[in-house]
């Protein structure tokens, strides 16, 4: 099923709080647009969708969230801090030599981080493997979510993952694509059409509209994976 949701402004209070946390992270970071593009999607996922908390990061029944778009992790760190996974005091040392908050997230240093990421095109294949692994173990309830950027879809590894996931009917797999028009070639018919052609359920929404995001994230998609394209302002 393919759906398109109408656009509305996002709540200001949540965004203001997250922006305040993000402003604490200074230094030589180079990917502010990448971080800001993900802010609302991350907040809605962690606030209303993902079944994971600081106390359940090792629970086999938890939902898994994989940040493939890991080269701009400031919004991710801000959301983790707001939700209690990370001590907010750590934000001030972002990117410093002895900080666990690196320019790419490290799953060995931060509770709740499922993968080390930042190289384009790795997250979706890893999410497919995670969904397959959970299915093989008989863990059919946990959802797997992966956040990618539209430019990552220039990488062939993602297209193999999209095709495989659709053919395998990985119904616990969910992909969110941040579309800030940074892909090299663009997509005839829109990004969602690529996933739909491989048998995915899809939705395209305003990536700043919290309610539209939640409705798209929670849409039923029996027997198939689900892709949500979150459209935000152009990168440049």
């Amino acid at each position: 099923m393919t759906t398109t949701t109408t656009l509305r402004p996002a709540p200001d209070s949540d965004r203001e709080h997250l922006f305040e946390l993000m402003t604490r992270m200074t230094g030589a970071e180079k990917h502010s647009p990448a971080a800001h593009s993900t802010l609302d999607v991350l907040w809605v996922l962690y606030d209303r969708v993902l079944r994971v908390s600081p106390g359940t990061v090792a629970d086999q029944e938890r939902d898994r969230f994989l940040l493939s778009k890991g080269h701009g992790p400031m919004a991710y760190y801000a959301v983790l801090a707001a939700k209690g996974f990370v001590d907010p005091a750590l934000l001030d040392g972002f990117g410093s030599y002895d900080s666990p908050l690196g320019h790419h997230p490290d799953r060995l240093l931060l509770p709740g981080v499922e993968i080390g990421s930042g190289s384009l095109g790795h997250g979706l294949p890893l999410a497919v493997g995670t969904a397959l692994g959970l299915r093989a173990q008989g863990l059919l309830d946990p959802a797997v979510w992966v956040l990618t950027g539209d430019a990552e879809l220039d990488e062939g590894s993602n297209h193999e993952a999209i095709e495989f996931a659709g053919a395998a009917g990985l119904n616990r797999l969910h992909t969110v694509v941040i579309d800030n028009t940074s892909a090299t070639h663009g997509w005839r018919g829109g990004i969602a059409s690529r996933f739909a052609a491989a048998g995915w359920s899809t939705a395209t929404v305003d990536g700043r509209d919290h309610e539209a995001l939640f409705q798209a994230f929670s849409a039923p998609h029996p027997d198939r994976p689900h892709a949500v394209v979150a459209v935000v302002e152009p990168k440049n």
Side-chain angles (χ1 to χ4, degrees):
M1 177 179 67
T2 300
T3 60
T4 301
T5 307
T6 56
L7 312 181
R8 292 190 300 104
D12 289 333
S13 57
D14 293 339
R15 300 188 85 245
E16 289 174 0
H17 176 53
L18 293 171
F19 273 126
E20 181 181 352
L21 292 173
M22 287 183 68
T23 60
R24 297 175 60 172
M25 289 175 275
T26 59
E29 63 81 17
K30 305 297 183 184
H31 293 288
S32 289
H36 285 279
S37 69
T38 66
L39 186 65
D40 297 276
V41 164
L42 287 166
W43 179 252
V44 173
L45 283 173
Y46 274 90
D47 190 52
R48 302 178 65 179
V49 177
L50 292 172
R51 297 172 306 151
V52 63
S53 68
T56 61
V57 294
D59 190 333
Q60 283 290 79
E61 294 292 337
R62 74 188 184 281
D63 288 345
R64 274 73 166 174
F65 173 77
L66 283 63
L67 180 69
S68 185
K69 193 178 169 71
H71 55 284
M74 292 85 75
Y76 186 40
Y77 295 155
V79 171
L80 290 177
K83 287 298 180 181
F85 293 85
V86 172
D87 183 351
L90 292 173
L91 300 177
D92 301 310
F94 164 72
S96 61
Y97 176 76
D98 57 351
S99 173
L101 306 182
H103 290 172
H104 293 192
D106 189 329
R107 71 180 186 87
L108 299 179
L109 298 180
L110 292 173
V113 173
E114 298 283 355
I115 59 171
S117 61
S119 297
L120 299 184
H122 289 179
L124 183 53
L126 287 170
V128 169
T130 301
L132 280 172
L134 291 170
R135 176 189 282 185
Q137 296 175 75
L139 297 170
L140 304 182
D141 198 34
V144 178
W145 289 82
V146 56
L147 176 61
T148 74
D150 62 321
E152 290 192 76
L153 298 183
D154 290 339
E155 303 290 334
S157 55
N158 279 319
H159 295 276
E160 294 182 22
I162 291 168
E163 291 292 338
F164 181 88
L170 295 180
N171 65 307
R172 301 306 291 154
L173 176 64
H174 310 75
T175 298
V176 186
V177 181
I178 302 293
D179 181 8
N180 63 356
T181 63
S182 59
T184 300
H185 306 294
W187 297 96
R188 182 178 298 175
I191 292 173
S193 65
R194 174 66 186 88
F195 288 85
W200 291 55
S201 167
T202 68
T204 299
V205 298
D206 181 354
R208 301 304 187 191
D209 183 335
H210 289 201
E211 190 59 34
L213 287 167
F214 175 70
Q215 293 300 324
F217 293 162
S218 56
H221 52 96
D223 303 321
R224 63 174 68 186
H226 186 50
V228 176
V229 180
V231 181
V232 299
E233 58 280 359
K235 180 179 179 180
N236 297 318

